[in-house]
Amino acid sequence: MKEDKRADYITWDEYFMGVAKMSALRSKDPNTQVGACIVSSDNKILSMGYNGLPIGCSDDDFPWVREGDDPLDVKYMYTAHSELNAILNYRGGSLDNSKMYVTLFPCNECAKAIIQAGIKTLVYESDKYGMTPATIASKRMLDAAGVRYYKYSKTGRKLEMDL
């Protein structure tokens, strides 16, 4: 007698956005934690990244504040975004025709890297900075380069893990 397969397994989008969200939990940033996951066209994970300092720069020696009088005392001068980290972490060759899952819509600088890397699809969870010049410019470039993007549709499914 043949047993039916399990019906409550997670979708590819749930799986890869879950990996991006799990990656975001590695970020030391006290305000915004962002994660990214790059996958191949046949649904294999190629790379992951989160926002943080470059390798060799101690998380204890650089600022994590968002605002200040001196730009050298603000985190933005030092942190790398999750999308760029995921692209730079990849060691396998070409990212042509891959898909990126990211928890926050990419800024204009990350959009440049996404386009140059050959990533063709972007799935994002949040677009909370959608009306900022950086995100508007990002969307203009992604559109011009033919990179498809869409908002992740939350399923409402709750997953719990003991780690």
Side-chain angles (χ1 to χ4, degrees):
M1 182 169 163
K2 183 180 171 208
E3 187 174 341
D4 289 336
K5 69 179 180 180
R6 203 178 109 232
D8 63 343
Y9 56 89
I10 62 176
T11 67
W12 286 120
D13 275 1
E14 286 174 310
Y15 179 57
F16 297 129
M17 188 58 75
V19 171
K21 290 173 97 169
M22 186 69 90
S23 295
L25 296 176
R26 287 283 311 144
S27 175
K28 313 306 187 299
D29 190 317
N31 302 111
T32 306
Q33 302 81 44
V34 182
C37 177
I38 303 173
V39 301
S40 65
S41 58
D42 61 345
N43 294 319
K44 305 291 187 280
I45 295 174
L46 300 174
S47 186
M48 295 166 282
Y50 55 89
N51 58 314
L53 294 172
I55 294 169
C57 296
S58 171
D59 297 326
D60 298 322
D61 295 338
F62 288 88
W64 288 104
V65 296
R66 296 170 69 144
E67 297 176 17
D69 294 331
D70 185 347
L72 294 176
D73 293 332
V74 178
K75 69 180 180 176
Y76 300 111
M77 297 296 279
Y78 308 103
T79 56
H81 288 180
S82 66
E83 304 91 329
L84 183 59
N85 272 330
I87 291 167
L88 295 174
N89 287 340
Y90 184 59
R91 299 286 188 248
S94 174
L95 292 172
D96 281 348
N97 299 311
S98 60
K99 181 187 283 191
M100 178 180 278
Y101 288 80
V102 65
T103 58
L104 183 63
F105 199 95
C107 71
N108 60 307
E109 293 300 319
C110 289
K112 293 173 194 176
I114 289 165
I115 292 164
Q116 290 296 92
I119 296 167
K120 292 298 181 195
T121 305
L122 176 71
V123 183
Y124 64 94
E125 181 179 47
S126 170
D127 192 16
K128 72 178 180 176
Y129 300 115
M131 297 312 296
T132 65
T135 305
I136 292 168
S138 175
K139 290 176 182 176
R140 282 184 187 171
M141 287 187 286
L142 293 169
D143 289 341
V147 176
R148 178 178 163 247
Y149 54 89
Y150 63 92
K151 184 171 178 54
Y152 170 70
S153 296
K154 290 185 179 184
T155 61
R157 187 190 313 253
K158 299 283 186 206
L159 302 177
E160 184 176 315
M161 293 188 296
D162 292 329
L163 300 176

